[in-house]
């Protein structure tokens, strides 16, 4: 059965990755959350996507150069910025918090937080580069869920589409392969791809899907999870 991920929470404006955005999703019944993480200059892990503050906040400049005291004065869509600790405290019912490790600066602080909280079963790691998620795992005392980066995904995709199967060794370190529905004109999350990855032992998660026809197509295709900005629509589709 396909389940839902909220992508950066439910927002009405620029309040993406804020506590309010994720609380809205949880209220809709979404138990799997997706976010991005950066570290402040003080080494605190925040839910934030961009390298700079410019796009969604009332401030400018590089996120990682700001102290916690400075970040406390900055808002996104009128909402305070949210630390990972704050999210985990506020929504303990979240089954999985899938985190995109955005840069090297957050690797150490994120590993420290996971160890301190014993959150190895609640947090999953993703990254454009598998090296970053692997670096976090290397600092942990217990295994954690992880998805592959772009280089590994390309190889997995080629095996799935050229041969109709994926060697287990390509997915043995990963719980899920997280991919877009398409990359430009190129289909990625096809039925052939989904079956091949699942036969190899990994889940298939597809992002970011905001229209009903594609959601229904992927449910019919039996993907394991769909990530969406429109959690209300996705929950409606999954419940119908």
């Amino acid at each position: 059965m396909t389940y839902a991920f909220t992508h950066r929470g439910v927002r009405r404006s620029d309040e993406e990755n804020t506590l309010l955005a994720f609380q809205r999703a949880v209220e809709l019944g979404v138990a799997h959350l997706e976010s991005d993480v950066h570290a402040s200059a003080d080494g605190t892990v925040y839910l934030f996507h961009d390298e700079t503050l410019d796009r969604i906040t009332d401030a400018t400049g590089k996120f990682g150069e700001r102290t916690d005291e400075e970040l406390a004065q900055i808002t996104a869509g009128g909402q305070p910025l949210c630390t990972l600790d704050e999210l985990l405290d506020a929504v303990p019912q979240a089954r999985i918090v899938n985190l995109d490790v955005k840069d090297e600066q957050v690797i150490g602080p994120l590993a420290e937080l996971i160890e301190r909280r014993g959150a190895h079963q609640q947090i999953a790691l993703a990254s454009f580069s598998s090296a970053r998620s692997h670096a976090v795992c290397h600092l942990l005392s217990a295994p954690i869920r992880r998805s592959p980066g772009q280089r590994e995904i390309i190889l997995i995709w080629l095996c799935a589409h050229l041969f109709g199967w994926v060697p287990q060794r390509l997915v043995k370190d990963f719980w899920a392969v997280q991919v877009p529905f398409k990359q430009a004109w190129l289909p990625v999350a096809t039925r052939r791809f989904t079956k091949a990855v699942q036969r190899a032992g990994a889940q298939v998660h597809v992002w970011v899907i905001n229209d009903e026809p594609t959601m229904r197509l992927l449910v019919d295709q039996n993907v394991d999870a769909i990530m969406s900005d429109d959690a209300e629509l996705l929950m409606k589709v999954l419940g119908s």
Side-chain angles (χ1 to χ4, degrees), residues 8 16-17 36-39 47-57 61-64 102-103:
R8 306 183 198 170
E16 71 175 48
N17 282 335
D36 316 273
V37 285
H38 281 282
L47 309 178
F48 202 80
H49 178 270
D50 297 357
E51 181 181 352
T52 67
L53 294 156
D54 302 49
R55 179 174 62 87
I56 63 166
T57 79
K62 290 188 176 182
F63 186 96
K102 300 304 289 185
D103 59 23

Side-chain angles (χ1 to χ4, degrees), residues 56-74:
I56 63 166
T57 79
D58 52 3
T60 60
K62 290 188 176 182
F63 186 96
E65 294 178 353
R66 296 298 189 107
T67 65
D68 292 339
E69 183 177 2
E70 291 172 322
L71 291 171
Q73 308 303 315
I74 297 170

Side-chain angles (χ1 to χ4, degrees), residues 6 61 98 121 125 141 153 156-157 162 171 208 220 224:
T6 182
N98 193 86
Q121 294 302 309
L125 302 177
S141 61
I153 288 173
I156 291 168
W157 184 90
L162 292 177
V171 298
V208 173
D220 181 66
D224 297 280

Side-chain angles (χ1 to χ4, degrees), residues 170-204:
L170 295 183
V171 298
K172 67 180 179 64
D173 294 329
F174 307 113
W175 78 301
V177 181
Q178 299 177 339
V179 294
F181 182 59
K182 291 182 179 180
Q183 185 67 44
W185 55 269
L186 185 68
V188 178
T190 63
R191 189 178 298 272
R192 183 178 178 89
F193 175 87
T194 299
K195 287 183 176 180
V197 171
Q198 290 173 338
R199 281 197 298 265
Q203 295 187 17
V204 174

Side-chain angles (χ1 to χ4, degrees), residues 17 25-27 29 34 98 118 121-122 134 138 145 162 185 187 192 200 214 217 221:
N17 282 335
V26 171
E27 288 169 2
E34 188 279 340
N98 193 86
Q121 294 302 309
Q122 189 177 19
H134 178 74
H138 183 70
R145 294 177 177 90
L162 292 177
W185 55 269
R192 183 178 178 89
T214 307
L217 175 66
Q221 192 173 298

Side-chain angles (χ1 to χ4, degrees), residues 11-167:
R11 61 265 196 191
R12 310 284 184 249
S13 180
D14 288 335
E15 67 273 24
E16 71 175 48
N17 282 335
T18 63
L19 184 56
L20 175 63
F22 286 111
Q23 287 173 326
R24 287 172 179 158
V26 171
E27 288 169 2
L28 290 170
V30 181
H32 297 80
L33 314 181
E34 188 279 340
S35 185
D36 316 273
V37 285
H38 281 282
S40 69
D42 295 320
T44 300
V45 181
Y46 283 79
L47 309 178
F48 202 80
H49 178 270
D50 297 357
E51 181 181 352
T52 67
L53 294 156
D54 302 49
R55 179 174 62 87
I56 63 166
T57 79
D58 52 3
T60 60
K62 290 188 176 182
F63 186 96
E65 294 178 353
R66 296 298 189 107
T67 65
D68 292 339
E69 183 177 2
E70 291 172 322
L71 291 171
Q73 308 303 315
I74 297 170
T75 62
Q79 293 297 313
L81 303 185
C82 184
T83 69
L84 180 54
D85 272 316
E86 289 171 337
L87 176 71
L88 296 176
D89 287 340
V91 289
Q93 65 270 47
R95 293 179 188 172
I96 298 291
V97 181
N98 193 86
L99 300 174
D100 189 341
V101 185
K102 300 304 289 185
D103 59 23
E104 286 72 20
Q105 183 176 336
V106 76
I107 290 171
L110 177 58
E112 186 279 328
L113 183 150
I114 294 169
E115 287 288 295
R116 169 168 48 83
R117 298 187 68 105
H120 306 78
Q121 294 302 309
Q122 189 177 19
I123 288 176
L125 302 177
S127 180
F128 180 80
S129 167
S130 289
R132 289 200 291 268
S133 62
H134 178 74
V136 178
C137 291
H138 183 70
L139 297 173
L140 300 178
S141 61
I144 194 169
R145 294 177 177 90
R146 192 161 69 100
S147 58
Q150 185 181 54
R151 184 173 61 180
E152 291 86 354
I153 288 173
I154 290 172
L155 185 55
I156 291 168
W157 184 90
L158 286 171
C159 288
H161 284 91
L162 292 177
F163 311 120
W165 63 279
V166 174

